[in-house]
Amino acid sequence: MRLRMISILLGLAALATWAPRAEAAPAASATASQEKPGRCSGLSPVARALKEAGYLSAHQASPRARFYIFFCSASWCGLCQQMLPQVIEQYEQKISRREDVELILLNHDQTPEAGRKYMEHHAPMLPGVMVHTLHLAARPAYKYIPACFIMTAGGELISAGGGDVFLNWETEIRKKPAKND
């Protein structure tokens, strides 16, 4: 029942304004990666982007994950704070037990300090990064949070939207067999 309520709330928050489209990574990010070979060598594009973004929490995403679920949230978002306990419950019951899937909290706070405080208080077990430091070529555009998107380790966008995407993550990743990127 709680998960259904999450789906409805996330769906309503994102339904009218969701505009999934690719967002080009800033040229400086691509140049920085090219200038420093070996900085994150051997990592998939998403694992590399996460490492370069810098984590807000002590927990880091597994570089061996084949799929990454990004839950977009912030301390100032009341709906995000309402949903986070159910997101964490889903993480603890299913996602954390899988080596091929990683859940990342993509923080939309104004400062890294606010982001760290939010992570420590609400989601200390999750890896988290600031939205403005994460440079992914296929990150979807969205106007409201909470939002969710799923990518392969290679950086291919699988699904984006609201609560329905988060609640159906298992179905979404089954649709897309991941290659070793």
Side-chain angles (χ1 to χ4, degrees), residues 20-112:
R21 58 177 157 59
E23 186 177 276
S29 174
T31 306
S33 296
Q34 292 169 359
E35 291 173 0
K36 300 175 185 169
R39 181 176 173 199
C40 298
S41 62
L43 295 177
S44 71
V46 173
R48 185 179 318 111
L50 286 165
K51 186 173 179 81
E52 289 175 354
Y55 287 96
L56 293 172
S57 57
H59 297 283
Q60 296 187 8
S62 169
R64 294 183 312 273
R66 295 181 355 188
F67 299 98
Y68 292 87
I69 302 168
F70 291 88
F71 179 73
C72 307
S73 184
S75 63
W76 47 263
C77 173
L79 186 54
C80 298
Q81 289 183 25
Q82 280 183 301
M83 291 192 52
L84 204 51
Q86 288 81 20
V87 169
I88 291 169
E89 182 180 315
Q90 178 80 340
Y91 172 78
E92 290 173 341
Q93 290 178 359
K94 292 186 177 181
I95 299 170
S96 68
R97 297 175 184 184
R98 294 183 58 149
E99 291 183 13
D100 63 333
V101 179
E102 189 67 72
L103 175 63
I104 311 295
L105 192 140
L106 191 54
N107 190 282
H108 285 256
D109 280 302
Q110 293 288 330
T111 65

Side-chain angles (χ1 to χ4, degrees), residues 12-29:
L12 290 174
L15 182 63
T17 57
W18 187 258
R21 58 177 157 59
E23 186 177 276
S29 174

Side-chain angles (χ1 to χ4, degrees), residues 9 25 78 105 131:
L9 292 173
L105 192 140
V131 68

